[in-house]
Every structure is written in C-alpha cells, then in structure tokens.
Amino acid sequence: MNLTTRRLTEPQDPLFAELWQLYESSFPWEERHDADWQRRAMSDETFRCMRVEQDGQAVALLFYWVRPGYVYLEHLAVHPSRRGQGLGTAVLELLPPLPIVLEIEPVCDDATARRLRFYEHAGYRLLPCAHTQPPYHPGLPPLPLSLLVRGDFSEEMLADFRTWQPSIGAGADTF
C-alpha cells in the first residue's frame, strides 16, 4: 500500500475540513475535542495532525502527541469507504518508531472486541490497569478506557503519560 502523510498545522488549511468531517463522524462527542481546542493543539510542536493519503486522496487521519521517548496516539480513523481493507494496519506503521500508548473503550460488545483484536494483531498489548481519560468537555466525568501499548513502554513512560494527559482535557490552558 503506497500511503503518504501530510502534517497539517493550520485549521484554515483547505485539507483540514475533510479531516475534521472524518474526525466528527468517527468518534463520539465525549471522545473528541472541539474546534477551538483543535486549533490550539495544531499550533503545538508536539502535536501531529496527519492527513494520510493514497494517490492524493485522504484515506485516514492520525492525531498523536510526541512525548519524551514515546507517542500517544489520540485518534486514528480510516475513511468509511476504505475500512476492512487492511488500511488501518498500514496507517499504524506510519507512526514514529517509538513505543506507543493509546486508549480504547473497554470490551463490552462485538465492535469493541473487534477493535481490541485489531490492535492486538498489530502488536499492541492491553495493560492490566485501571485508566480514565480526562473529560474533553466541561461538565463531563472522566471516561473509563483501557490502555494499549506497543514496544518497550516503560513504567516511567506510563507515569509521564498519566501526569501529562490531564493537560489535554477540558479547561486545560496549556499542553
């Protein structure tokens, strides 16, 4: 699969509108940030808003943070017309060659079980610890999620992630 990535740093970029539609249609409201937050994140040097392209067409998005020694994959979405074709696995290979942490919903139905199997097949492992994502909107409670890691993800990295992650929640003014 011949995939390329293009980093977008401005929400005014004409290519961003298409990604934003994919983002909003792929994640429930409580798991996605609003446009003002996204604008601030895109100007942060450690955040990556990546348009994944094949033959010049957007086929997926990757939103991730580069932390000291690891990557936090916050959002991955494949265009609905391209799902089930192995594209998600190929997109994961576009991430930097560092240990990676990501969150998924706890397994409670067929869809969440498939998502876990997808990541496990790609080399991720479920951490046996409780985790909550900070709320992305004022007034919401923290969201119980599961953590998956790939690579040599150390206890120090996990501690950094847990200390840093609240800085991207609702009401945080710095990353």
Side-chain angles (χ1 to χ4, degrees):
M1 225 172 266
N2 186 21
L3 300 177
T4 58
T5 58
R6 183 186 309 227
R7 183 177 181 194
L8 304 180
T9 58
E10 298 288 332
Q12 298 81 11
D13 187 320
L15 299 174
F16 181 70
E18 184 179 19
L19 279 192
W20 192 251
Q21 287 178 340
L22 177 58
Y23 177 67
E24 287 189 316
S25 67
S26 298
F27 298 97
W29 178 76
E30 62 274 6
E31 292 181 26
R32 65 178 194 258
H33 297 286
D34 63 28
D36 288 336
W37 182 95
Q38 189 67 40
R39 184 174 40 259
R40 285 190 309 118
M42 288 175 77
S43 67
D44 189 283
E45 185 54 37
T46 64
F47 181 74
R48 301 293 187 274
C49 171
M50 305 300 287
R51 182 179 194 257
V52 180
E53 300 175 350
Q54 187 173 40
D55 300 323
Q57 298 297 311
V59 295
L61 67 80
L62 282 170
F63 292 172
Y64 64 91
W65 298 85
V66 180
R67 298 292 302 151
Y70 70 95
V71 167
Y72 166 46
L73 175 55
E74 189 171 14
H75 293 99
L76 160 67
V78 172
H79 193 279
S81 68
R82 301 299 304 273
R83 292 179 186 154
Q85 302 173 21
L87 192 61
T89 301
V91 169
L92 285 173
E93 294 306 314
L94 299 172
L95 290 164
L98 295 168
I100 298 169
V101 63
L102 62 87
E103 302 157 308
I104 64 169
E105 301 93 342
V107 174
C108 63
D109 57 20
D110 287 341
T112 54
R114 277 192 310 273
R115 190 169 298 117
L116 177 59
R117 283 192 305 274
F118 163 76
Y119 282 110
E120 288 177 332
H121 180 74
Y124 290 78
R125 68 185 186 283
L126 188 63
L127 290 183
C129 59
H131 175 72
T132 57
Q133 180 186 74
Y136 282 0
H137 302 282
L140 289 181
L143 187 61
L145 295 174
S146 297
L147 288 178
L148 293 166
V149 295
R150 186 177 82 179
D152 189 16
F153 201 83
S154 69
E155 289 295 324
E156 292 79 16
M157 291 172 185
L158 182 58
D160 176 81
F161 175 70
R162 288 180 179 232
T163 301
W164 167 81
Q165 192 190 28
S167 73
I168 64 170
D173 56 4
T174 61
F175 301 123

